Amino acid sequence: VQLVESGGGLVQAGGSLRLSCAASGLAFSTYAMGWFRQAPGKEREFVAGASWMGGNTDYADSVKGRFTISRDNAKNTVYLQMNSLKAEDTAVYYCAARSASSTVVPRGGYDYWGQGTQVILSS
């Protein structure tokens, strides 16, 4: 199984970025997908998750209303649209996959992880 994130970079506060995560080696459409992040000196935290078909989503309170998770099962790809970025969004962002029932959006227990993509906010 391979999860490869892309789309990170340097962005000004208030700006937007879209992260992508391309998955291979798994039955993508039967996995819940999640985005996590880890800021310097902090523990990794849940950011957003989507169920199999993307019909159910969940967000951390800190990103609700600013970030949107979506998935394209035909392309085996999950996205994280990040708007109104803040300095505290600076982190390495990871995507993750977990075998789960079709409507579940888990916040933990993920089976597979990508290598991460760095997002840096500049003032």
Side-chain angles (χ1 to χ4, degrees), residues 11-13 121-123:
V11 61
Q12 285 191 329
L121 272 292
S122 64
S123 57

Side-chain angles (χ1 to χ4, degrees), residues 11 15-16 28 100:
V11 61
S16 298
F28 181 79

Side-chain angles (χ1 to χ4, degrees), residues 37-40 45 87-93 117-121:
R37 68 186 180 187
Q38 187 166 21
E45 63 175 355
E88 52 264 41
D89 296 319
T90 292
V92 177
Y93 284 73
T117 185
Q118 178 80 57
V119 173
I120 300 174
L121 272 292

Side-chain angles (χ1 to χ4, degrees), residues 9-123:
L10 180 66
V11 61
Q12 285 191 329
S16 298
L17 276 178
R18 189 175 83 153
L19 305 183
S20 300
C21 172
S24 59
L26 76 171
F28 181 79
S29 62
T30 64
Y31 277 73
M33 297 299 296
W35 285 98
F36 292 75
R37 68 186 180 187
Q38 187 166 21
K42 295 188 176 181
E43 294 187 353
R44 187 168 56 193
E45 63 175 355
F46 172 82
V47 173
S51 58
W52 284 12
M53 301 299 291
N56 290 339
T57 57
D58 187 24
Y59 297 93
D61 288 345
S62 59
V63 307
K64 203 170 291 184
R66 300 188 297 122
F67 290 11
T68 302
I69 186 171
S70 61
R71 61 189 295 165
D72 185 339
N73 287 348
K75 295 182 178 180
N76 286 7
T77 300
V78 61
Y79 305 97
L80 185 68
Q81 178 67 44
M82 306 188 294
N83 299 329
S84 303
L85 284 161
K86 304 176 182 180
E88 52 264 41
D89 296 319
T90 292
V92 177
Y93 284 73
Y94 301 88
C95 75
R98 174 178 164 170
S99 179
S101 58
S102 60
T103 60
V104 171
V105 185
R107 289 196 169 201
Y110 280 75
D111 302 304
Y112 304 107
W113 295 85
Q115 84 289 347
T117 185
Q118 178 80 57
V119 173
I120 300 174
L121 272 292
S122 64
S123 57

